[in-house]
Amino acid sequence: MKIYIDGKFFGERDAKVSVFDHGLLYGDGIFEGIRAYNGRVFKLREHIDRLFCSAKAILLNIPLSHATMMKAVVDTLRANRIRDGYVRLLVTRGPGTLGLNPNRCKKPCVIIIAGKIQLYPEAYYVKGMEIVTVPTTRNLHSALNPAIKSLNYLNNILAKIEANQAGCEEAVMLNAEGYVAECTGDNLFIVKAGELFTPPLSAGALYGITRATVIALAKAAGYPVSEPNLTRYDLFNADECFLTGTGAEMVPVVKIDGRVIGNGKPGSVTKKLVKSYHALTNETGEPIYV
Ligand code: PXG
């Protein structure tokens, strides 16, 4: 595996960062998770756009242009001869001193790792998965805005641990007001009477790229989509539920907090959208090998 660090490629054993990097010391940095399908990088521009937005929100100056960053991702996939895979792109505040002050960090560090990902077992995609709401609420906008894809994922990790302790692999996170926000690494949708609903971004969700893609696909297929505040009651009484994310893609949910959703099987609207999502991932994106 060849790992990109600040413009150079290193083997796995030599790919190292400083212990004084504020990404490690404080979780001070940002990241993206990107996927390649069939020799193309899916929604690359959108991911790099979001990376630059996260950077702006934390006053981090990415030392590359948007175009150079896109090229670096493609180059890393090419260097690893990957046609189908996963890219983890990180920008840390860079090495500094043992102290919070980010002014001591002179140069942000850009890392690109290209490999494989399988988030959930195959059976979940066929039979659907069971999820639970957890006690840890989503971060407040006024504290650490959930729209920032920061290297500080402790909020999500605590929720994930709570889900695991309840025997589930994913958690529904509510916001401080009790409305559904999202899951720890995916956005959430429900289907009710042929309409799609997903929490508004203001409820405390990441501006998911898969979410936006699925909304567009659903609208194109003639399904109304809206973004009202949702409560657990709305989830329990949905006909169908599914999660969306770059890693998870689209995964059907058949049980929430012990309540069976719909008929307990992945629903027909979900299945139809999964098909069109896969068609899109297979056919569109930035070519890696030209
Ligand atoms: N919410 C959160 C909190 C996320 O971290 C999503 C929603 C879905 O966003 P996208 O843009 O991917 O549709 C994410 C994305 C991993 C992994 O390694 C996590 C994500 C993406 C890829 C890999 O667990 N989270």
Side-chain angles (χ1 to χ4, degrees):
M1 186 188 269
K2 289 181 180 150
I3 294 155
Y4 173 108
I5 304 178
D6 293 334
K8 294 198 192 84
F9 286 105
F10 297 88
E12 255 175 81
R13 290 164 60 108
D14 300 318
K16 293 179 181 151
V17 290
S18 164
V19 292
F20 296 102
D21 193 305
H22 279 210
L24 176 67
L25 289 175
Y26 299 108
D28 184 1
I30 52 173
F31 80 102
E32 277 297 319
I34 309 171
R35 250 170 118 140
Y37 296 93
N38 197 23
R40 292 166 176 271
V41 194
F42 189 60
K43 302 279 179 193
L44 177 58
R45 181 171 301 281
E46 287 80 351
H47 281 283
I48 304 302
D49 282 348
R50 187 171 63 188
L51 181 81
F52 275 80
C53 289
S54 293
K56 186 152 195 178
I58 69 161
L59 292 101
L60 176 71
N61 284 322
I62 297 180
L64 302 177
S65 70
H66 194 288
T68 312
M69 188 62 95
M70 280 179 65
K71 185 171 179 302
V73 170
V74 172
D75 287 348
T76 307
L77 283 158
R78 202 179 294 150
N80 287 284
R81 298 175 200 283
I82 291 174
R83 287 184 57 81
D84 293 271
Y86 175 66
V87 174
R88 170 61 58 92
L89 166 53
L90 296 78
V91 186
T92 72
R93 189 77 65 181
T97 53
L98 293 178
L100 275 178
N101 197 345
N103 294 341
R104 300 283 159 78
C105 305
K106 294 302 169 208
K107 196 172 167 287
C109 178
V110 179
I111 302 168
I112 308 174
I113 310 165
K116 296 262 165 241
I117 191 173
Q118 212 223 345
L119 224 52
Y120 300 125
E122 192 53 38
Y124 289 1
Y125 294 88
V126 182
K127 292 191 174 155
M129 73 189 291
E130 176 177 357
I131 60 179
V132 278
T133 50
V134 294
T136 295
T137 56
R138 196 74 182 102
N139 283 325
L140 290 169
H141 292 109
S142 51
L144 177 58
N145 197 315
I148 302 168
K149 207 162 161 66
S150 89
L151 288 182
N152 197 317
Y153 251 45
L154 262 184
N155 181 232
N156 314 52
I157 288 168
L158 287 175
K160 188 82 154 180
I161 291 169
E162 287 163 353
N164 290 342
Q165 286 179 333
C168 289
E169 286 214 38
E170 187 52 294
V172 180
M173 299 183 78
L174 308 179
N175 62 24
E177 289 180 283
Y179 291 115
V180 177
E182 60 175 344
C183 293
T184 69
D186 338 271
N187 292 106
L188 181 147
F189 284 77
I190 55 172
V191 183
K192 178 90 178 166
E195 287 189 40
L196 273 79
F197 302 91
T198 189
L201 297 168
S202 59
L206 185 77
Y207 291 28
I209 289 164
T210 318
R211 175 186 185 276
T213 305
V214 169
I215 289 175
L217 286 172
K219 285 183 176 165
Y223 297 108
V225 184
S226 55
E227 303 175 34
N229 268 323
L230 298 174
T231 62
R232 291 169 73 230
Y233 170 94
D234 299 311
L235 305 191
F236 299 155
N237 289 292
D239 299 331
E240 302 180 25
C241 177
F242 62 87
L243 312 181
T244 64
T246 298
E249 302 179 304
M250 290 181 64
V251 51
V253 170
V254 291
K255 216 176 200 188
I256 304 174
D257 295 343
R259 278 79 157 178
V260 172
I261 306 304
N263 65 2
K265 292 184 183 141
S268 58
V269 177
T270 305
K271 283 199 226 162
K272 191 171 160 185
L273 291 171
V274 166
K275 255 191 202 156
S276 46
Y277 184 72
H278 285 312
L280 197 69
T281 58
N282 220 32
E283 288 157 14
T284 61
E286 195 73 21
I288 305 169
Y289 305 95
V290 278

